[in-house]
Amino acid sequence: MTQTNRRILLARRPQGAPVPEDFRLDEAPLPDLAEGEVLVRHRFLSLDPYQRGRMDDAKSYAKPVAIGGVMECQAVGQVAASRDPRFKEGDWVLGGFGWQTHSVRPAKALIAIDPQEAAPSTALGVLGMPGLTAWVGLKDIGEPKQGETLVVSAASGAVGQVVGQLGRIAGCRVVGIAGGARKCAYLKDELGFDVAVDHKADLDAQLDTACPEGVDIYWENVGGAVQAAVFPRFRDFGRMVMCGMIAQYNTASGAAAAGAPPGPNLGPVVRKRLRIQGFIVGDTGWKRYAQFRAEMLGHIAAGRLHYREDIVQGLDAAPDAFIGLLQGRNFGKLLVGLD
């Protein structure tokens, strides 16, 4: 077994959008295991928009990555060595940590996954944090009902594609917003969305056609111009699930991007009795992971739920892939595959 851990470190804090110089490739010896710890050899790394916030030295729901620290992410891998009876060499686990080839984790922090149930990579996507985010947010805040109209931004992404399909399973009419004809075709032809709206075209005109009676639930992944277009279309008692605001992640302190339209007038929140609620999946989601995974596996087995992964190969590819994620270059759940 190799005794070297290759890792991507945060070299400096980005000024706006991340660039390659903000990252640094490094090698370090593998640490020794203490009692109750497990050495995980990473096989897949998860790249997600929230990681951009970890690069800033700003107060948030989690600590920022330190300069010189390993970039944050969840990982799926196999046990390379164990000093805990719960895991043996070769076991597949969710809960490795960071943009690196290996990590040492407490056994209690790992979740065993069965590669016979589903491909291990899915534990970072449809059966992992993005899927769990969709499941928790839609169930607890969106509360979808038969016949309602659900609009999903960034609908072809890791979270959005699951939100839309769960909404369809619940009986909603689902409108997905994505960028470009290829992603829009995927939403309709493979995921079964009722309507796909291309935000690169005339968004208002498309939404007029797609939502003639208004919007009951809006899943917010984007913010900016997309939010400004959807918000006035809420019906009474509408629900806005605030999951992310990727349009603002590269701006100072999360401010609106230069040239972006002003935020929506919140006056209708009272008149229409709207609910706008943000959430963090870690608040309650992982306590319900077993129920979530069982439900999702059932949907997949029955052909009701599909997913798409976008896998780049090699640790060295992580920085450019992450930069592309924030630009919308990926198509599906973005992962880094490690040999």
Side-chain angles (χ1 to χ4, degrees):
M1 183 180 70
T2 180
Q3 297 301 308
T4 301
N5 183 28
R6 299 181 71 239
R7 53 195 192 166
I8 302 289
L9 309 181
L10 178 63
R12 64 185 188 185
R13 303 215 180 274
Q15 302 299 310
V19 296
E21 292 76 18
D22 297 328
F23 308 92
R24 176 167 62 88
L25 180 64
D26 175 77
E27 292 189 358
L30 293 176
D32 294 329
L33 289 181
E35 196 67 33
E37 290 186 332
V38 174
L39 174 64
V40 181
R41 178 193 170 207
H42 295 174
R43 301 296 297 274
F44 296 97
L45 308 180
S46 181
L47 300 185
D48 300 284
Y50 80 86
Q51 293 159 12
R52 174 61 184 86
R54 298 288 200 277
M55 300 175 76
D56 291 332
D57 187 11
K59 185 176 181 180
S60 185
Y61 58 87
K63 292 182 179 179
V65 177
I67 299 297
V70 178
M71 279 293 298
E72 154 98 8
C73 82
Q74 276 196 326
V76 158
Q78 289 180 277
V79 173
S82 175
R83 293 194 63 186
D84 188 283
R86 284 171 283 190
F87 295 101
K88 65 182 185 301
E89 186 174 342
D91 286 348
W92 282 91
V93 295
L94 166 65
F97 179 82
W99 295 15
Q100 53 189 344
T101 56
H102 298 77
S103 65
V104 173
R105 304 293 286 162
K108 64 183 180 181
L110 300 174
I111 297 174
I113 57 174
D114 183 353
Q116 300 303 313
E117 289 184 336
S121 59
T122 60
L124 295 172
V126 65
L127 298 177
M129 184 273 290
L132 183 61
T133 298
W135 184 83
V136 167
L138 195 61
K139 183 183 292 286
D140 292 355
I141 304 172
E143 298 181 339
K145 300 175 182 64
Q146 180 79 30
E148 290 189 322
T149 295
L150 164 65
V151 175
V152 186
S153 62
S156 66
V159 174
Q161 60 181 279
V162 179
V163 171
Q165 291 180 90
L166 291 180
R168 174 176 50 76
I169 291 168
C172 290
R173 181 174 179 273
V174 180
V175 177
I177 302 175
R182 186 171 170 233
K183 291 181 178 180
C184 287
Y186 170 68
L187 296 180
K188 289 198 65 178
D189 298 342
E190 296 190 43
L191 302 187
F193 283 46
D194 295 283
V195 182
V197 170
D198 185 353
H199 68 73
K200 296 182 178 180
D202 188 333
L203 187 55
D204 281 310
Q206 292 177 88
L207 287 173
D208 284 342
T209 301
C211 309
E213 298 182 6
V215 174
D216 297 290
I217 310 166
Y218 174 45
W219 185 282
E220 177 62 285
N221 285 320
V222 175
V226 175
Q227 182 185 105
V230 174
F231 191 83
R233 293 172 164 80
F234 266 121
R235 301 177 66 188
D236 289 353
F237 303 102
R239 288 86 73 198
M240 183 171 176
V241 187
M242 297 292 293
C243 179
M245 298 275 282
I246 196 170
Q248 298 176 199
Y249 287 174
N250 288 328
T251 61
S253 302
N265 173 9
L266 295 182
V269 172
V270 176
R271 176 170 52 83
K272 294 185 177 181
R273 288 85 87 201
L274 305 181
R275 181 201 302 179
I276 303 175
Q277 184 174 336
F279 75 107
I280 304 298
V281 66
D283 291 343
T284 63
W286 292 106
K287 298 176 182 178
R288 302 152 70 185
Y289 181 74
Q291 178 190 356
F292 152 76
R293 186 176 175 92
E295 285 188 20
M296 297 293 275
L297 284 169
H299 291 321
I300 293 171
R304 292 187 292 266
L305 194 143
H306 305 272
Y307 62 92
R308 184 186 185 102
E309 297 176 331
D310 188 342
I311 303 177
V312 299
Q313 292 296 328
L315 183 66
D316 298 26
D320 182 67
F322 180 67
I323 290 168
L325 170 70
L326 298 174
Q327 298 170 347
R329 292 201 319 244
N330 64 298
F331 191 170
K333 171 59 196 154
L334 184 59
L335 302 168
V336 177
L338 304 178
D339 294 331

